[in-house]
Amino acid sequence: MFDNLLNLSFALYRTKNNGTSSNDENYPDTRYPGTGRFCCYLDDGIQISQGVDIEISGEIVKGWQILAGYTFNDNEMKGGNGRFSTITPKHLFKLWSSYELRGILSGLKLGGGITAQSSNYRQGTARIFNPATGSFDGPSVDYEFTAPGRVLVDLFAQYRLNKHWSATLNVNNVFDKTYYETVGDSRLSNYYGRPRNWMASIKYSY
């Protein structure tokens, strides 16, 4: 494409794992204290993951680089257990681009990127903290936490000082979006993503 300056890849995939562990429904309320996990599992689970992955990269015109990609993933646990990885978003999109200026601004490269994904969630049952014992052996409570879909924007500017040295300024999460990087249960593993931040660096190449 574009005189062989652009590369395009397209892939369809489907994986199937047999014999994965699944909860034994004969013991729905038997859990290890504080873990929210079943004590008993069966090896009859079947996990299926399928989707599509598309990516385009290369140089549109002289000095203008681009990388764009999209992934769709659908996964499920056969046997009525729903998705086996609910924290995996169904849709992922990325777009990165940079342009190296010319003329009196030669040596200056500007660019940035967008990363977007759909919502993901985690649900289950966990025991709450018991102050009397100092451990998570209190009553069991059901939970379902959802991390909404998000779009993050990053920017950068790079200046080539000479053939060996270059200076770069990166600004991440430009719009200072508040979001969860990961979602866990009602007690732990819920982590915020990094707020707006920047980093300046100098690089030497030889």
Side-chain angles (χ1 to χ4, degrees):
M1 299 178 65
F2 288 83
D3 295 327
N4 294 321
L5 295 177
L6 281 180
N7 299 310
L8 174 66
S9 65
F10 178 87
L12 293 172
Y13 63 90
R14 176 182 169 88
T15 62
K16 181 179 180 180
N17 294 327
N18 295 318
T20 57
S21 62
S22 63
N23 297 331
D24 187 345
E25 299 298 334
N26 291 318
Y27 303 92
D29 296 317
T30 306
R31 305 171 187 272
Y32 288 110
T35 66
R37 296 197 297 263
F38 282 84
C39 76
C40 306
Y41 293 83
L42 302 173
D43 64 354
D44 63 350
I46 299 176
Q47 293 179 346
I48 295 178
S49 179
Q50 57 191 358
V52 61
D53 186 77
I54 306 170
E55 184 173 288
I56 184 170
S57 63
E59 192 174 39
I60 298 180
V61 296
K62 186 68 174 178
W64 185 6
Q65 300 284 336
I66 188 172
L67 169 65
Y70 169 73
T71 300
F72 170 77
N73 174 264
D74 182 35
N75 65 75
E76 62 178 323
M77 175 73 80
K78 287 294 187 180
N81 291 319
R83 294 172 64 85
F84 70 83
S85 179
T86 60
I87 60 174
T88 300
K90 280 192 172 184
H91 305 276
L92 290 170
F93 174 77
K94 60 183 178 182
L95 173 63
W96 296 91
S97 183
S98 66
Y99 184 74
E100 188 168 354
L101 282 70
R102 301 180 180 280
I104 61 174
L105 295 178
S106 177
L108 178 63
K109 180 186 291 186
L110 301 175
I114 296 174
T115 56
Q117 69 175 56
S118 58
S119 62
N120 61 94
Y121 69 95
R122 179 169 284 174
Q123 64 182 13
T125 302
R127 294 185 182 275
I128 63 176
F129 183 76
N130 184 352
T133 61
S135 62
F136 290 95
D137 60 359
S140 296
V141 294
D142 295 331
Y143 65 86
E144 180 174 340
F145 297 141
T146 299
R150 63 176 184 261
V151 178
L152 302 178
V153 178
D154 303 323
L155 298 175
F156 81 89
Q158 182 182 79
Y159 185 68
R160 188 175 67 252
L161 302 172
N162 53 48
K163 65 178 182 179
H164 295 295
W165 291 93
S166 63
T168 304
L169 175 65
N170 293 88
V171 183
N172 303 311
N173 193 3
V174 173
F175 298 107
D176 200 23
K177 184 174 182 61
T178 300
Y179 65 97
Y180 281 103
E181 184 70 36
T182 61
V183 290
D185 58 30
S186 56
R187 302 163 303 162
L188 45 82
S189 299
N190 298 288
Y191 298 113
Y192 282 115
R194 297 182 64 186
R196 180 172 53 232
N197 61 91
W198 62 274
M199 180 178 67
S201 61
I202 296 178
K203 180 179 179 182
Y204 177 81
S205 302
Y206 57 90

